[in-house]
């Protein structure tokens, strides 16, 4: 059977060969796009697999240097550090300790891989005994003292040499509090990456095992955003930008690609997408069952984040993806 009319447009013409497809490809993914999250713990030569996140480890400082170096050699420009403290308490005291685990890791990485950009997560949920992202008063997270605590934590990271501090606690005014404290202490060049539109998402499940940061009681809905809201993402981001954020973010990424593209249209700052633990682990689990091709699915997901407008993709696949893209 042939069509009884001529087609003027045949988009398949440009899909015919690999070279034609390469020529008209609109979205290019490269190692440069990634930021690699790493979990640092106390001890020596520790490399403890995280059950809920195959391929991700709790690493002691000596091992984190190796991972950071490896990622940098693969072309990944930056890492994002999360810490597992020795002790947790109501004041989250290890969060801002000069010899805290993240502070040690930052120093060690900057000493050994000086050109690698080191970003740090600034949130106290892994450091408080109750697991919330700030200090509690009458069972509720008290905003302003929490913002101050985050500022203190950010200054300690900057003092250790962090290039970027990334507040993720969703406290009002956290970026302003951090910018003020950094400038006041002489860290004018430390950049801030705001977790501007961070949703109260079920996709963080596996991470809470990784960072041992699940709230003991309740949830985070009184400070993280409602997944149903997109306009509110613009409001949160406007505030972050006014307060001095250098980089803005949408988190999670995969179920929020519409929010990413909205942010791309409305802001000029570099835009980050956080490809979170749940997005990673569900592909790993499906791949382990033989139901998904990990590499193909992961690269398709990462490409979709770029297509939606992300400049930076924070991903547990960063090193693997950089390797796949180089093959
Ligand atoms: C800390 C924080 C979380 C994540 C990044 N920073 C957990 C949370 O808010 O519950 C999630 C990262 C991931 O799921 O990969 N507040």
């Amino acid at each position: 059977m042939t069509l009884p009319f001529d087609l003027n447009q045949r988009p398949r013409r440009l899909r015919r060969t690999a070279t034609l497809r390469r020529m008209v490809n609109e979205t290019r993914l490269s190692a440069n796009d990634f930021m690699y999250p790493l979990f640092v713990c106390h001890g020596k030569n520790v490399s403890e697999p995280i059950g809920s996140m195959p391929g991700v480890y709790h690493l002691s400082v000596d091992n984190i240097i190796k991972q950071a170096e490896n990622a940098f050699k693969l072309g990944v420009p930056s890492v994002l550090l999360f810490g597992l403290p020795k002790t947790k308490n109501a004041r989250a005291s290890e969060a801002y300790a000069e010899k805290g685990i993240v502070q040690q890791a930052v120093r060690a990485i900057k000493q050994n891989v000086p050109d690698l950009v080191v970003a740090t997560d600034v949130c106290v949920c892994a450091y408080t005994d109750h697991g919330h992202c700030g200090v509690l008063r009458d069972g509720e997270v008290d905003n302003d003292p929490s913002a101050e605590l985050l500022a203190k934590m950010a200054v300690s990271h900057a003092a250790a040499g962090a290039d970027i501090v990334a507040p993720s606690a969703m406290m009002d005014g956290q970026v302003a509090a951090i910018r003020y404290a950094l400038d006041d202490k002489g860290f004018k060049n430390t950049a801030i990456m705001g977790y501007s539109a961070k949703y109260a998402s079920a996709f963080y499940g596996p991470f809470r095992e990784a960072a041992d940061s699940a709230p003991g009681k309740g949830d985070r809905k009184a400070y993280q955003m409602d997944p149903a809201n997109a306009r509110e993402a613009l409001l949160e981001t406007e505030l972050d930008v006014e307060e001095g954020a250098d980089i803005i973010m949408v988190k999670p990424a995969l179920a929020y690609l519409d929010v990413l593209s909205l942010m791309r249209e409305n802001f000029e700052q570099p835009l980050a997408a956080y490809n979170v633990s749940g997005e990673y682990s569900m592909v790993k689990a499906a791949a382990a069952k033989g139901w998904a091709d990990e590499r193909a699915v992961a690269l398709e997901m990462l490409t979709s984040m770029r297509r939606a407008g992300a400049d930076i993709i924070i991903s547990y696949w960063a090193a693997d993806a950089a390797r796949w893209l180089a093959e």
Side-chain angles (χ1 to χ4, degrees), residues 53 82 121 123 125 133 168-169 195 198 203-208 213 220 224 251 274-278 316:
M53 299 176 72
F82 292 91
D121 185 79
C123 186
C125 58
C133 302
S168 67
Y195 281 66
K198 178 173 176 182
F203 284 95
Y204 306 151
F207 174 92
R208 291 183 183 170
S213 65
R220 305 204 199 288
Q224 298 180 347
K251 178 187 175 186
Y274 201 134
N275 171 216
V276 301
S277 59
Y316 304 101

Side-chain angles (χ1 to χ4, degrees), residues 141-163:
V141 177
D142 196 0
N143 193 86
D144 299 8
S146 300
E148 256 185 63
L149 179 57
L150 296 166
K152 204 164 157 184
M153 182 176 184
V155 166
S156 76
H157 292 172
D163 300 289

Side-chain angles (χ1 to χ4, degrees), residues 130-146:
H130 47 69
H132 277 288
C133 302
V135 288
L136 294 185
R137 200 173 71 181
D138 302 329
E140 279 184 25
V141 177
D142 196 0
N143 193 86
D144 299 8
S146 300

